[in-house]
Amino acid sequence: MTQVLVVNSGSSSIKYRLLDLPSGHAVAKGAVERIGESEGLLTHRGPAGEVERREPVADHAAGMRAMLAAFAEAGPDLAAVHLAAVGHRVVHGGERFTAPTLVTDEVCEVIASLSDLAPLHNPANLKGIQVAREVFPDVPHVAVFDTAFHATLPPHAHTYAVPREWRAEYGVRRYGFHGTSHAYVSRMSARLLDCGPADVNVIVLHLGNGASVSAVRGGVCVETSMGLTPLEGLVMGTRSGDVDPGVIFHLRRAAGLTVDDLDDALNRRSGLLGLSGVNDMRELIKLIDNGDEDARLALDVYCHRVRKYVGAYMAVLGHTDAVVFTAGVGENNARVREHALTGLGDLGVRLDHDRNERGGPVISAPGSPVTVLVVPTDEELEIATQALALVS
Ligand code: AMP
């Protein structure tokens, strides 16, 4: 039995899963949340039961110790498990990391140096790596980057039309994110279409709290909606997605907002939240059903943006075999799927209402030139698979 521990370390949380490969079975999973706050929360589910504990967790090292204690309590005993690898999610790999990478001191230094591009994520990812390397010194640690799947974007797709020195000296280009999800879901979609990844062109709509879309031609990502940072593209829970950069200059001059104010507003107070007061799609739907006009507009803006990207990416691909929905909203919300694809019939995207309500995997009408699919994403499984492939 081969087991891989996947660690997703955020600024105030460590989420983890112990996976058995190749079955993909989750032997145990859990999360340590609210690290550094007055009361932390640990939840763990293992073969011997569940653990839930509320106590202060001072830092990531304490979080890792809490995780180990939960394994000791509800299993499995990590000392008795032969870990083939620890796979770490790292958000930004810059131009340096375009594939899963064995963690060394030098790799840690480069991940740290990329923090300018992902200040909220890379330092937190790195903390998780550092404490896990201390706890599991004899196990190979593999960094799996959110940006890596998009490293194949051709220059005309990843280049911003901005001054040369910005591009040359400051790494200003499009990188794309959610790569492990887009990689996994595009591969699974090919399988559902009974083809190899090399034989299909798919558009993957990852609609979660963060949201992004990618165009994958023959297994190779050729376009994606997120850019230098995860702010560009679709409307998200709290992020604006595309806005005219002129908005920033206008508010800087007219309202005196600082760069930090604007960063905070566009990343944390915009999107569905900025439009309706709620960032969660389920809450938004409840508001709409109670007649809330702001919520209705928020859904219209959200779905219009998705539709616009689907049309654009069909143009990029030339021929599209499938449009695929994934992540929290994409997998669960038939209303969003239907609304977003309305009017694309003449482009060959024809949804079947009943199939869509039933949830898939195929939700297009029989004979629709473009198949529409719902495919659950599994980023942890993809990280574990990629980490294992590297070490074996
Ligand atoms: P994620 O980031 O993938 O966990 O997705 C979070 C988003 O998915 C939130 O906006 C949730 O409201 C939405 N979501 C999760 N489950 C459902 C569901 N059953 N119905 C509608 N939306 C859902």
Side-chain angles (χ1 to χ4, degrees):
M1 229 166 19
T2 304
Q3 300 197 333
V4 175
L5 180 66
V6 174
V7 176
N8 181 353
S9 169
S11 56
S12 64
S13 68
I14 299 173
K15 296 185 181 135
Y16 59 89
R17 199 186 291 185
L18 180 67
L19 286 152
D20 194 30
L21 292 179
S23 74
H25 170 64
V27 182
K29 64 190 227 181
V32 186
E33 292 167 283
R34 301 181 208 150
I35 294 173
E37 293 179 24
S38 56
E39 187 181 76
L41 172 66
L42 174 135
T43 46
H44 177 96
R45 200 170 71 217
E50 294 188 11
V51 181
E52 183 179 313
R53 199 169 292 129
R54 290 167 197 275
E55 59 193 19
V57 180
D59 52 23
H60 283 69
M64 195 61 69
R65 284 196 298 275
M67 178 192 90
L68 291 177
F71 269 105
E73 194 175 330
D77 176 7
L78 278 184
V81 167
H82 170 70
L83 280 182
V86 182
H88 296 271
R89 175 183 185 220
V90 181
V91 165
H92 217 307
E95 291 189 306
R96 161 74 192 271
F97 299 114
T98 57
T101 303
L102 202 59
V103 174
T104 62
D105 291 344
E106 193 258 343
V107 166
C108 288
E109 280 167 26
V110 182
I111 292 172
S113 75
L114 292 167
S115 293
D116 277 355
L117 293 173
L120 298 178
H121 295 105
N122 273 33
N125 302 153
L126 193 56
K127 269 189 201 156
I129 292 177
Q130 283 161 338
V131 294
R133 285 179 88 201
E134 283 166 24
V135 172
F136 304 106
D138 301 323
V139 179
H141 291 254
V142 178
V144 177
F145 298 90
D146 265 23
T147 46
F149 184 62
H150 308 299
T152 50
L153 253 56
H156 57 255
H158 73 60
T159 305
Y160 288 118
V162 297
R164 180 185 295 278
E165 62 272 19
W166 293 9
R167 291 179 279 128
E169 288 173 37
Y170 299 101
V172 173
R173 51 160 282 178
R174 310 185 62 254
Y175 292 94
F177 298 86
H178 292 142
T180 49
S181 177
H182 288 284
Y184 177 82
V185 170
S186 56
R187 218 175 48 245
M188 289 302 133
S189 306
R191 199 178 281 180
L192 278 168
L193 295 170
D194 237 354
C195 294
D199 301 320
V200 290
N201 292 352
V202 298
I203 295 171
V204 177
L205 291 159
H206 177 110
L207 307 181
N209 198 26
S212 65
V213 45
S214 66
V216 184
R217 177 185 290 132
V220 175
C221 186
V222 294
E223 216 356 325
T224 195
S225 59
M226 285 178 165
L228 175 79
T229 75
L231 183 55
E232 192 179 343
L234 300 176
V235 175
M236 310 180 215
T238 65
R239 282 174 248 163
S240 60
D242 297 334
V243 288
D244 176 356
V247 168
I248 294 170
F249 319 136
H250 173 65
L251 288 168
R252 180 82 193 86
R253 294 185 188 116
L257 297 186
T258 65
V259 170
D260 286 342
D261 293 337
L262 291 158
D263 187 333
D264 179 60
L266 290 173
N267 276 297
R268 284 178 281 280
R269 294 189 287 116
S270 295
L272 296 179
L273 181 67
L275 290 168
S276 72
V278 298
N279 68 297
D280 189 289
M281 187 58 85
R282 283 168 290 201
E283 301 291 318
L284 189 82
I285 299 288
K286 274 189 213 150
L287 289 178
I288 294 171
D289 291 342
N290 288 329
D292 187 308
E293 283 305 315
D294 289 341
R296 149 81 39 212
L297 175 65
L299 188 70
D300 288 347
V301 174
Y302 182 99
C303 291
H304 174 72
R305 187 79 54 86
V306 172
R307 189 180 313 121
K308 196 162 89 166
Y309 268 92
V310 170
Y313 284 14
M314 290 180 79
V316 167
L317 287 174
H319 170 83
T320 305
D321 294 289
V323 172
V324 191
F325 287 92
T326 195
V329 176
E331 291 168 29
N332 296 298
N333 197 310
R335 188 150 153 190
V336 168
R337 295 192 296 255
E338 183 151 358
H339 191 355
L341 297 187
T342 297
L344 296 180
D346 280 356
L347 295 182
V349 185
R350 297 182 198 140
L351 210 65
D352 182 288
H353 177 79
D354 293 338
R355 284 179 172 179
N356 184 39
E357 290 294 324
R358 286 198 297 273
V362 176
I363 59 170
S364 44
S368 173
V370 177
T371 305
V372 185
L373 299 170
V374 176
V375 176
T377 192
D378 196 336
E379 291 168 273
E380 285 81 7
L381 177 57
E382 182 66 17
I383 291 171
T385 305
Q386 292 192 15
L388 184 64
L390 183 73
V391 299
S392 20

